[in-house]
Every structure is written in structure tokens, then in C-alpha cells.
Amino acid sequence: MIPVALPGGNFYPMLAVSLVCLATLLTWIAVLCTNRLARTRLRARPRSNAAAMLALAVIGGIYPARLALRWVDSRQAAADQAAHTVVLDGPRTLTGIDMPAGTRLMVRLPGRPDTFEAARFPHPVPVGGIPVASLERYLAQSGLREFRATGASATLPEDETAEGWRCTRGHKVEFKADGDGALRFSSCHLAAGNKMNGQLLPAGTWVALRHGPRPATDFQHVDGWLLRTDGSEPSMVAGMPLLKADLRLDRGRKLVWFEGSLGTEYTLGPMTYPAGTRVATASATVAGARPGDLVFSPSRGRSAGRNDGDDVPSGQSVLQAPDGAVRGVMSNRAAGVLDVASIGTTP
């Protein structure tokens, strides 16, 4: 959000009073120029009339002075913008991007096209292998008059494919800069039609490429893709209807970890979980957990039904195998679950 300085509460009333005083003064002068009787009355009380005219002139001068300042400021802003605007008169390669003639650049330093912060292209230009209509770079100072890009965002002319994902033109595509300054795809919001394990992903899902080692006990930091679904309609993940789900995929796009909130009531084995129950892939640090196991945690004020035993209240978590076998019931702390209010919907 861009901060905007708003004028004080008395700013506009002051301008209105100034305009009234200015109009009164000009009307008075016009009457004096055309009416002899008015001039006679003015000479009869010269000091008081002169003081009144001076007061009207001082207060009435605020309005034209404000207009003059605004005009000067706009001229200065236009001059600054012109000094920081470069339009390429021929094809040129800047920071590894092939730009056509007619590209409009907003530069950090006048006369230095390589310090551009924003670029608008006359036709789509590939950046990181993705055609974009405009580009905005995030610059960090690396020297006295030197800058380097730490990342960038771009607008798409239409839905485009990036790293196998179909990105929507309705949101900006994000890039990160490599060590050599080259921009690489980082994240975008998905268009309709993307799939994961044969299941359609909802339009608007955010996808980001994450780099890093894969700890044996923490699938949340796997090297690969992070997906976050949004919206009021649940998405099917591992056969479960989830709201606001976080998904971790490896480089081969195999689901290795997920977390979300059940969008509807869900039954697995002897357990029946209400909407809003948190469900996640069990960490290897959870006692008794095996690969592929799930942890279900009822939300506050809710409980999970069990047809072969006591219900499981909030504050407790259930460790279950994918086939429904209950491996154990434990506290949320033991399951590595924070006690937070439900983010799901209630029936």
C-alpha cells in the first residue's frame, strides 16, 4: 500500500474562505472602477477601507498561491519523471533481457538504462522463459552508483505456462534473481486447469518454488514446490476436502506433505471428524508415526466421533494410517499441533 499524506481538516474550508475573500475583493475593485459613489465612500473612510481591502487581499491570496504551488510542483514532478524515463530507440539487451525498440523504462539514475526499475514493452518479451507485458524490478544498492536486482514482478499478457504450471494473467508473476543477476521464476497464481496427482487445483492457488535441503524429519522444508489453496470451496487433497491447504511437492511434483482444514464432515475408519478439523501429514517426530500417516486435530469447541470408543475432544489429536487404522490419541503438543481457533466453516 502506498502511503498518501492527506490535508488537514481545515485545509478545504480555508481554501473556500480564501476564494470568497478573493471574489469579494475583485467585486469591490470592479465596483470602484465603475461607480463614482463607491469611490466617494471609499475616500470618506480611507484607513478602515484600506485595512479591509488589505485583509481581503491577504486571505484571498491563499487560493491563487496554492494554485501556483501546485503548478510548480506538477512541473517539477513532470521534469523529474522525464529525466528518469528512457524510451529505447532500438533493440537493446539490458541485464540479460532482450528489449525491443519502443520499450519505456523508468530508471533509478537519469541516463542509466541499466538501472531501470520498471519496463513496459510494446509487445511481450520473455523474462525467465515467460512472456511478460511489463516488468518491475526490486533494486538494492551494491555500490556508490551501482544497483543489483534482488527480484522482480511482471504482468502477463495472457495466461502463460511457467515451469509446467499454467499461471493466470489476473495476478503478477514473481521472479528471484540468481547470483549472476538473471531472473528466474519464483511464484504465481494458477489459472484454471492445473492438476496435481490427477486432481484439479482450484483457480487462484498460489504456487512457489522453494530451494533447500530436505531434512529427514521435516517434510515442510522439502526442496520443491509450495502450494496454497484459497477460496470458500474445499479442494480435494489425498481424498479429503480441505480449505486453505498448504501443500509441499518435490521436484517431481509428488505430494510429500500437506496441512489444511476440513471443509466438510469426513469419516476415516472408526473416526468421524467435523468441518474445521485440522489435518496434516504426520511428522516423523510424532511418536508411533509411520510414513503416510495423518494427524487429525478437532477445532476448539468441537470433538471427533469414534464408533469404537470415546469421542476425541479439542486439544487432542488422532494419529491415523491412510487405511483408517487408529495408531493413537495424544495431546496436540505431543502431535506438534498449535492450539488455534478453527479456520474452517461450521455446519
Side-chain angles (χ1 to χ4, degrees):
M1 181 180 294
I2 300 175
V4 177
L6 297 177
N10 61 348
F11 176 77
Y12 292 108
M14 181 180 65
L15 286 185
V17 171
S18 175
L19 184 59
V20 170
C21 290
L22 181 61
T24 302
L25 177 62
L26 294 177
T27 302
W28 193 357
I29 293 174
V31 171
L32 290 175
C33 293
T34 58
N35 191 301
R36 179 180 298 178
L37 180 59
R39 292 194 294 272
T40 302
R41 291 176 178 175
L42 178 66
R43 287 193 295 268
R45 303 177 63 182
R47 291 186 178 181
S48 59
N49 287 325
M53 294 185 74
L54 179 61
L56 290 174
V58 171
I59 299 175
I62 295 176
Y63 184 77
R66 180 63 184 175
L67 292 181
L69 287 175
R70 178 174 293 183
W71 179 79
V72 171
D73 289 343
S74 63
R75 288 290 300 272
Q76 183 63 44
D80 290 343
Q81 184 175 9
H84 289 82
T85 300
V86 175
V87 179
L88 300 182
D89 55 5
R92 187 168 179 179
T93 300
L94 295 173
T95 64
I97 303 173
D98 296 327
M99 301 185 182
T103 297
R104 186 180 184 88
L105 303 175
M106 293 297 297
V107 298
R108 177 72 66 89
L109 298 178
R112 289 276 304 276
D114 59 304
T115 65
F116 76 92
E117 294 181 284
R120 184 171 295 277
F121 308 112
H123 56 76
V125 168
V127 176
I130 308 170
V132 303
S134 64
L135 182 71
E136 182 180 352
R137 295 199 306 166
Y138 314 132
L139 299 182
Q141 192 164 1
S142 57
L144 183 60
R145 292 176 60 84
E146 298 298 327
F147 299 88
R148 61 180 179 84
T150 59
S153 61
T155 55
L156 301 177
E158 57 185 7
D159 293 350
E160 297 287 353
T161 300
E163 298 285 345
W165 300 104
R166 192 68 175 173
C167 299
T168 178
R169 65 185 297 268
H171 294 269
K172 288 189 175 183
V173 175
E174 297 291 332
F175 297 88
K176 284 187 176 180
D178 287 344
D180 59 358
L183 296 175
R184 308 295 181 193
F185 171 75
S186 174
S187 67
C188 75
H189 288 78
L190 298 181
N194 288 275
K195 292 185 178 182
M196 181 194 68
N197 297 336
Q199 182 68 44
L200 280 173
L201 292 168
T205 296
W206 180 71
V207 59
L209 181 60
R210 290 290 187 260
H211 300 277
R214 174 179 170 176
T217 59
D218 192 356
F219 287 104
Q220 297 184 48
H221 297 91
V222 64
D223 182 60
W225 300 97
L226 169 63
L227 279 71
R228 286 179 177 160
T229 66
D230 204 352
S232 58
E233 293 297 324
S235 307
M236 296 303 296
V237 178
M240 291 175 286
L242 299 185
L243 290 169
K244 299 185 181 297
D246 282 8
L247 316 173
R248 280 286 189 173
L249 282 62
D250 62 16
R251 289 283 185 165
R253 302 194 182 179
K254 177 184 177 182
L255 180 64
V256 296
W257 178 89
F258 68 89
E259 178 183 15
S261 177
L262 289 175
T264 60
E265 186 177 271
Y266 179 74
T267 299
L268 179 63
M271 305 299 302
T272 299
Y273 300 101
T277 297
R278 175 195 179 274
V279 56
T281 303
S283 170
T285 59
V286 177
R290 300 178 186 177
D293 282 358
L294 304 171
V295 173
F296 294 86
S297 307
S299 58
R300 288 183 181 179
R302 311 299 297 275
S303 61
R306 184 171 184 175
N307 60 22
D308 62 352
D310 296 334
D311 291 352
V312 178
S314 60
Q316 298 284 309
S317 293
V318 181
L319 178 65
Q320 272 188 283
D323 62 5
V326 177
R327 300 200 192 279
V329 177
M330 63 196 72
S331 67
N332 284 351
R333 180 183 294 273
V337 177
L338 295 176
D339 286 313
V340 295
S342 168
I343 60 173
T345 57
T346 56

